[in-house]
Amino acid sequence: MGILDKKLSLRDRKKMLVGVWEDEDQLMAGAGALAHAGIHIHDVYTPYPVHGLDRIIGARRSKLARIAFFCAVTGLTLMTTMIWYMYVHDWPMNIGNKPVRFTPSWAPVMFEGTVLCTAFGMSFFFFWRNRLVHGIKNELLDIRQTDDRMILTIETTDGMDEKAVLDMMKNHGAVELREFHNGVQTVI
Amino acid sequence: MIHDSIIRDRLVTGDKTASDVTRDIARPILNNPTTAWKVGFTLSLIFLGIFGVSLLYTLWTGIGVWNINKSVMWGWDITNFVFWVGIGHAGTLISAVLLLFRQKWRMSINRSAEAMTIFAVICAAMFPVFHMGRVWVGYWALPLPNAFGSLWVNFNSPLLWDVFAISTYFSVSLLFWYIGLIPDIATIRDKVKSKLGKTMYGFFSMGWTGSTRTWARYELISLILAGLSTPLVLSVHTIVSTDFATSVIPGWHTTIFPPYFVAGAIFSGFGMVATLLVVARKVMNYENYITIGHLDAMTKIIMVTGTIVGIAYLTEFFIAWYSGNIYEQYAFTNRMFGPYWWAYWSMMTCNLIAPQVFWFRWARTTPWFIFIMSIVVNVGMWFERFVIIVTSLHRDYLPSSWVMYSGSLTEIGLFLGTFGIFFTCFFLFAKFLPVINMAEVKSILRNRE
Amino acid sequence: MSNNIKYWKGEDELNRNPQFLAAQKNEFHDDLPLDEVFNEDGVELQANRRDFLKYFGFSVTAVALAACYKTPVRHAVPYLVKPEDVTPGVANYYRSTCGACSAACGIEVKVREGRPIKVDGSADSPISQGGTCAVGQASILSLYDNERLANPLANGAEQTDWAAVDAEISNKLKQITSANGKLVVLSSSIHSPSTLKAIESFKASYPTAEHVMYDAVSYSGLLDANEADFGKRALPTYKFEAAKVIVSFGADFLGTWISPVEFSKGYTINRQPAVAGGMSKHIQFESAMSMTGTNADFRFPMRASQEALYVATLYNYIAIATGAKQIPVPQQGELAGNSIKKTADALVKAKGTSLVISSSNEVEVQKIVNGINMLLGNYGSTIDMVNHSNQYQGSDKKTAEVLAGLKSGAIAGVIFYNANPVYNHNSKEWTEALKKASLSVSFASSKDETAALCQYVCPDNHYLESWNDAEPRKGTYHFTQPTISNVFNTRQAQISLLTWANAVVAPAKDPFASKGIFSQKLQASPYYNFIRANWAGTLGSDDAFNGVLEKGVYLAAASEGAASYAGSVDALAGYVSANAKASGIDMVLYQGVGVRDGAFANNPWLQEMPDPVSKVCWDNYVALPKALAVKLDISEGDTVNVKVGDVTYNNVPAMVQPGQANETVALALGYGRTHAGKVAGSVEKGFDTIGVNGYAFVNNTGNRHFVVKNVEITKGDDTYTLAQTQTHHSIEGRDIVRESTFGQWQKNPKAGNEIPATHIYTIWEKPEYRKDGAPNHLWAMAIDLNACTGCGSCIVSCSIENNVPVVGRDEIRLRREMHWIRIDRYYSFNTSDAVLTKDTEIAAADEKGNFDHWQNVNVLHHPMMCQHCSNAPCETVCPVLATTHSTEGLNQMTYNRCIGTKYCGNNCPYKVRRFNWFRFNDNDKFDFHFNNPLGKMVINPDVTVRTRGVMEKCSFCVQRIQEGKLKAKREGKSPNEVQVLTACQRACPSNAIVFGDLHNPESEVSKLYKNERGFTVLEEINVQSSVKYMTKIRNNDSI
């Protein structure tokens, strides 16, 4: 099942045009223009979340919320069954003459269990989906992309006017233009 | 073509650029520790030692080395537990609630606040664990199949709710904190020189690249986690309050406890945050990130919650009188005028009266004064727990069992020791992790409209 | 019910195929070739695969087993031949006689696997009537006291060989007699016919010998008075069951005076409001607040030094009423209001069913009291001088003569038997005198103060190791039989005397020869034969004698007739007027209910038992009246310096005692032991002495005076925290204990209990205790506050039954006593217009500077143990279900499961849960009987010894419930016939505690639950407690 987002890897990228921005607003403008020109932007790497970019590059809305809900339901069922089994079914006994059946006193444990399941279930999916794995080799286009540089990548397609694209980037304030070829970057 | 708001004052002063942010905040991590750090760390290690010694003595001899007795079976131990858990609430609250309310000013304090939460919960956990007569079988409190007597656990017992609540709260907070840290760890990874550093930060950054797709999902999960944590925070301290509220002891058996404990938790939590940040911003010169504006906002919250707590105290009294229940009435008059009057009045002064000074702008904007006040708040909140626990137990129903109680050296040692745990953790955190969320701060260098 | 189902594995077994059966016998199908392994060439033997597997399997298993084995070595000695009367797990009960004090209660000893582990009253004994006192209960521990002498001592050196010691002693005795030197056997009161005979035979062979009886706390005054008035030096038998008006001058007859258990039994009968002829009226005049005083309907403070005047005045009022001649004494105005007049009227009204007693040791006072009882015609009705009591016979004068004789050298040899004058008489002089004696022998079982100065110590058996008989009352005989063979190399004093007298009776045939554990000891006990010979007349046959042994009691026909009163009180006017003037401060030296005269000071159970009135353990203290305390500026935790003549004690702990008469102070005897042991203190072993020795203050001229005049009291420099189990003494006006007066009760039996049952709304359904659909037992308890005297016997009994640890003074200061049952004691202060129950009110009254209300207090005793609530708050809060509810209504505690969060203890409204703060066994910090193998012999095998860190509490003696149920089942009885007595109930000398099954409508407890006086404590918090208390009714409407 395709949980893992293939787009996140650079491994099987043949040729890509790379633009480096310093300024968020210029980047937005550039990306917007490119998208407008019908050029498909592969991805943009930013040191901090830049709102709106995801729409421009046409990333689909995340299903995380639905997954969270699913985990929550699982957790709730799990907890309720556990308490019922231990408390009512397996070994019922007289504790301070409290009734051996569902009572509000179950709520705290049920709630906490639900939260636990949701938080961890969801995060697990999040890590998986985003290819966040401990000790994985990180594929950076620029050492400063986690500091202050913003990197925009476009996968070349046959019949793409690379020159025009590069100019467009330059005009929108890209401070540097590169070409990415089978894992090797060359400054243009 | 720079869009910048003219009506709001900047959240980060000093015209910082993204690279400045990285440099400033990563400085303590990339450079060698300062003298101030070394001194502080040594001190906290000493306190940690005190904790170790007291704990070993207790475990070796039995909790008889504390002064708790046949009537007051909970003393300093549970007082400290509630005290620390309370502190442990501000962090998640700041990051979660303020995130939901889109309070951008939180961005430069939530990291350290969350860290504080985690360390405070660790300290808190020490007491419910080690106050047990037989720690070595403490795991029986978990719903494990076993061969000892009654087979399962008691889902009616607030103590069991605690087990679930505290553990959930701790793990979820830790997760929330870690997810928030990943981008910054990545930043450090790409800055740090040493081989070891590269490996460690590389390991924990999980290959973060800052792809827009990831960022989008990242923001969503932060939002959902925040949505989860908010009720979680409330539930945790509500459950802690039921440790008392579900009992039959006059002074404990009150329905007002949940809300009033939560308010108290926020109160003490912000108190502790203030204590730490006022110092941190000076020592690590983060004045531009943790601005007077932040302090101002926090002190307002302190004042509000303090007043809420104060009202709760008064309500308790009214209800005690109104109930016409002589035991309740005695319990509360005994708090005010009984042998523990001093504890009660210090609580009142510190929690209700003192915070009122924050009506004045000067008080809200003067760091050294805020520092003193934050200490006062913490002291007051400790006394609140002491008053609730000890004064209710030492004189309950049958006068024949009325007793006095005062903490033994070991108990005091354990309490001081937990500060050792807390600050040791905090100093390590300040050395090896960015105490301010760089990524988020970078996104608010300019106030968007 | 034998089980006939047969299980079989495999057809072979089913149709019992012969070779299979043969093969089945050996463990391995074909046997291990071990011989090959073990012979020389075993090394290079060709072991095939299967053999290898066998060796392999064997060795692995062996190693595994070896690894598993970590059980510590225990000293368990199996019976070589199982005695037919010992079944492991089943207790044997033997009737015997309590040797704790010379009241000689008949007892029943519970023996498990040859270990006596519990002492309770024997129902057949007219003295104990099934009850016991705390001291009797605790006396069993001194059997397992590892500080007892293990061997005789000769000049301080241990001697394993009795014969050697005997030889030396006999020689010395012969020398002395041949030199015509006097010999004295100084013993405590002895009323055992056989023992007396043994002493006679000793005197027969040593003609210069004399037998003198000496009691530490003496009744000489009363004895001498009776000798003068009735020509018979004996204590009368008091019949409290017949007395409707009881007036006691300082006599603590429920706690310590003469025969407390017997008196409690009689007393409580008439304390029931429903009793025929109405509830009795009890008036107490006393200086110190005695336990008996706390139970009185009317209690008037009295200056002890003026007692003569008080009794004389009473005599005169009665004389006026009965037209008899008065004693010409100066009227001291009105003493104690006009209470004496009123008392007199009450007594006269109850002529013939009244009883006046006094604890005074002054012959004159006792003579007047005799006179009073004579005027009231109580002799023959409430006082029996014909079938008199032998319980105390000591003579102070004779003892003084012995001391003088020793000093002068007239007496050359002295033998101490249950007597310890160096401690409890004039210590200094006895120490001097003993140096002069050419022979001094002590029978003390431990090296006490006197024994330490004696040349020879011939340790006596513990009474549970002994044969004996007793005659506590004329014609009432009790028997003592051994319940365990000698723990140490000790020997009964009687045998020692007989041996030295060369009068050992040749062993007769042993009736028990077949009967297992005791037989050897029996044959070896010449004293058994001596007793048999002694009883040959009345109980000749084995069956007769054994029958009596089984019952423990032999009652001869009571003799009729009346005692002839030859006394007169006219001559006493002089004495009375001489002692009418009161000046200075009086000190009353009294016996504490726990430690009594000090003989049992080394018993940790008694030290830890809180005093019934002050709730102080582990110390004696000077009890001060509030007025004096204020004058000396003494408050809680202060100390005083006490000076009488040339005796001074500095920094004695002081305590302000409500009810203490002004201008008087009180100090308990029995403390300040210097040679008791690790508990009470020992100089040579280096253990601190507990408290101060009150005997030093006693004036020994004539009859010993336990009331001391002109005491100088000043505030001490030190402060001292007394270990008290209760530190708040007023009930704060709370509806915890309900009380009313007899008058009210007669109008309305619900009096004092009218408070309507609080309306209880519960969302849970009522618990119904059923098992497999059928109603199960529902255990419950009812406690009669009118019967309970607060004596504390139940506390000790419970501690013994349930292996409750002793924690010591420091832990009690930290408020950590472990007792499962406690007796809460509340004072209420009476002013002219109000009853003060709140501390604030009392403080306000004190402000006025008048402290009379401190002298006029009412006291409530409120036994409190786990209430076994149906809606138990403790159960709900335990995270691990260590405490749950049984189907029989018991609140169970599962020690194994407890993790020690202590929430249950906090949430208990009655605060009856106890926590094991440390490991109380095998812990040198708590060096009591749980810390040595011998002391552990007293542990009840039916009850777990709790480990460190677990909660514990009253279990309603669940082990006894179980035993009762099994017994009924074995005997095929119906559940309603299950007989269970809890330890506290079994011990109670006043039948205050009733336990039983509420589902059995016929049970006594069910009946009491219907009683109008019944109420439960803290009903309003709806915990549904299973213990009902009966409203306390006081007969104090008017004297």
Side-chain angles (χ1 to χ4, degrees), chain B residues 76-388:
Chain B
W76 278 56
D77 46 356
I78 300 303
T79 305
N80 302 340
F81 161 63
V82 184
F83 172 75
W84 278 115
V85 167
I87 288 171
H89 279 60
T92 320
L93 216 86
I94 290 171
S95 29
V97 178
L98 298 187
L99 182 138
L100 291 180
F101 291 141
R102 295 258 184 273
Q103 294 296 311
K104 286 204 158 71
W105 61 270
R106 77 177 230 294
M107 287 180 175
S108 46
I109 61 167
N110 62 347
R111 169 72 43 77
S112 40
E114 284 168 39
M116 186 194 78
T117 294
I118 286 151
F119 306 148
V121 173
I122 292 172
C123 297
M126 293 297 159
F127 293 100
V129 170
F130 292 111
H131 95 297
M132 277 189 274
R134 302 202 293 166
V135 195
W136 47 96
V137 293
Y139 66 92
W140 290 350
L142 305 171
L144 304 168
N146 65 67
F148 306 103
S150 15
L151 210 50
W152 298 110
V153 289
N154 180 2
F155 292 97
N156 281 342
S157 166
L159 295 186
L160 189 82
W161 305 343
D162 271 345
V163 173
F164 281 86
I166 304 294
S167 48
T168 306
Y169 182 58
F170 179 72
S171 36
V172 172
S173 312
L174 197 62
L175 181 71
F176 196 18
W177 187 57
Y178 179 60
I179 288 183
L181 266 167
I182 292 174
D184 285 5
I185 296 181
T187 315
I188 306 291
R189 171 196 68 198
D190 302 340
K191 284 264 168 268
V192 76
K193 298 275 168 298
S194 74
K195 186 91 190 58
L196 178 65
K198 280 212 176 302
T199 345
M200 291 314 287
Y201 290 106
F203 179 79
F204 285 108
S205 63
M206 300 170 115
W208 176 273
T209 55
S211 147
T212 302
R213 291 187 170 72
T214 317
W215 272 123
R217 302 188 186 113
Y218 174 89
E219 294 215 293
L220 185 59
I221 197 172
S222 315
L223 194 64
I224 302 178
L225 275 178
L228 278 175
S229 311
T230 315
L232 180 62
V233 171
L234 302 187
S235 78
V236 169
H237 221 56
T238 303
I239 286 171
V240 169
S241 78
T242 55
D243 288 353
F244 310 105
T246 58
S247 77
V248 298
I249 301 302
W252 282 11
H253 182 65
T254 48
T255 45
I256 195 178
F257 268 11
Y260 132 38
F261 266 53
V262 171
I266 303 170
F267 181 58
S268 60
F270 270 94
M272 196 49 133
V273 177
T275 320
L276 296 175
L277 291 190
V278 171
V279 181
R281 71 193 285 274
K282 190 112 217 84
V283 179
M284 309 170 91
N285 26 22
Y286 288 157
E287 278 95 342
N288 287 320
Y289 302 96
I290 304 162
T291 61
I292 295 297
H294 288 105
L295 302 181
D296 185 34
M298 285 195 284
T299 46
K300 281 177 189 154
I301 296 181
I302 288 179
M303 179 176 69
V304 173
T305 47
T307 319
I308 296 176
V309 171
I311 302 294
Y313 299 155
L314 302 177
T315 321
E316 269 187 318
F317 277 93
F318 170 74
I319 294 301
W321 164 77
Y322 186 68
S323 69
N325 174 335
I326 58 165
Y327 303 109
E328 286 287 330
Q329 287 168 346
Y330 186 88
F332 284 93
T333 31
N334 182 51
R335 279 185 190 178
M336 268 198 272
F337 308 113
Y340 289 109
W341 61 271
W342 45 269
Y344 174 77
W345 290 112
S346 16
M347 162 183 100
M348 272 302 198
T349 333
C350 302
N351 296 358
L352 177 56
I353 300 156
Q356 302 307 327
V357 299
F358 287 131
W359 287 105
F360 302 104
R361 182 158 183 68
W362 174 85
R364 292 202 305 273
T365 51
T366 319
W368 66 265
F369 182 76
I370 295 173
F371 179 75
I372 295 168
M373 283 308 300
S374 66
I375 300 293
V376 170
V377 167
N378 288 321
V379 172
M381 283 314 285
W382 190 87
F383 272 115
E384 177 196 296
R385 277 61 179 255
F386 183 83
V387 166
I388 291 173

Side-chain angles (χ1 to χ4, degrees), chain A residues 87 91 93-99 101 103-104, chain C residues 764-765 767 769 870-872 875-876 881 884-885:
Chain A
Y87 208 56
W91 193 312
M93 58 177 100
N94 178 346
I95 304 147
N97 188 28
K98 294 272 191 296
R101 60 170 135 82
T103 64
Chain C
W764 316 134
E765 51 280 300
Y769 295 99
S870 283
N871 301 347
E875 294 173 8
T876 324
L881 295 177
T884 52
H885 225 70

